[in-house]
Amino acid sequence: MKIVVNEIFQSIQGEGPGTGKPSVFIRLGGCNLTCRWCDSKFAWHTKYQDNHVMSVETVIDRIKSYPCNHLVITGGEPLLQQKEIEVILKKLPNHTAELETNGSITCDIKKHLTQINCSPKLSGSGNKPYPLRIKPTNKKVIFKFVVSKKSDLNEIDQYVRKYKIPKSKAYLMPEGVEKSGIEKRSKWLVELCKKEGYNFTTRLHILLYGNQRKK
Ligand code: SF4
């Protein structure tokens, strides 16, 4: 079985409740959305020739070569290749795995995952609205919202009400691929999170390494 992979590397999880956790990142190629501020365009945009078709056995061998048993499966949109992910995870019973998704595709491999990080893309992303396919009642799911400007909070409030997402499961994250942008937005976003009861998450990998890949 083959899978389209963009990159595999070890780093620390930079976002959400697992921030700081050493992890092997498997970035899969291809996405069904086209977010204006996407920081992973190299995983799906046709102007990049950055993806590799690999056998699942090769991916498993690469994963096993790292001294780390936690995986972060990201993209692109990894659920486009969930059958292939399932085959890989079944062969790695001693690994834990979290998966990042934009929430537009039903996840049929929940039982193999320890956490699902769902990041719905709102109007600022430039995508048309789409129905949320990840159930907020699932205990493994947390939600991450990218925030560019203060007024994004209105749309996030409407969204969490519409889908009955508990604020305790919602993380607000400053948009930005440069340290300066993250720091600037973090100052007011932290205060909004304190006031409104959302969780704040930074983008630790950007603060540590800047916008470098495979760090
Ligand atoms: S869903 Fe994620 S990978 Fe796809 S375009 Fe949006 S930010 Fe990029």
Side-chain angles (χ1 to χ4, degrees), residues 198-210:
Y198 290 102
N199 300 292
F200 170 81
T201 178
T202 187
R203 308 191 76 202
L204 183 59
H205 50 301
I206 304 272
L207 299 181
L208 291 174
Y209 302 120

Side-chain angles (χ1 to χ4, degrees), residues 30-41 43-44 75-77 101-102 119 121 125 127 130:
C31 189
N32 58 338
L33 299 183
T34 53
C35 299
R36 177 184 58 78
W37 35 250
C38 179
D39 60 359
S40 313
K41 284 194 175 135
W44 57 267
E77 173 47 63
T101 176
N102 58 38
S119 183
K121 307 307 181 213
S125 70
N127 295 290
Y130 57 86

Side-chain angles (χ1 to χ4, degrees), residues 6-19:
N6 184 268
E7 56 187 358
I8 302 174
F9 59 99
Q10 187 181 11
S11 188
I12 45 118
Q13 172 59 290
E15 303 169 0
T19 298

Side-chain angles (χ1 to χ4, degrees), residues 24 27 34 51 104 124 133 135 139 145 181 195 206-207:
V24 177
R27 186 184 306 285
T34 53
N51 292 335
S104 64
R133 303 285 186 204
K135 287 207 166 59
K139 287 194 173 65
F145 294 93
K195 187 164 163 241
I206 304 272
L207 299 181

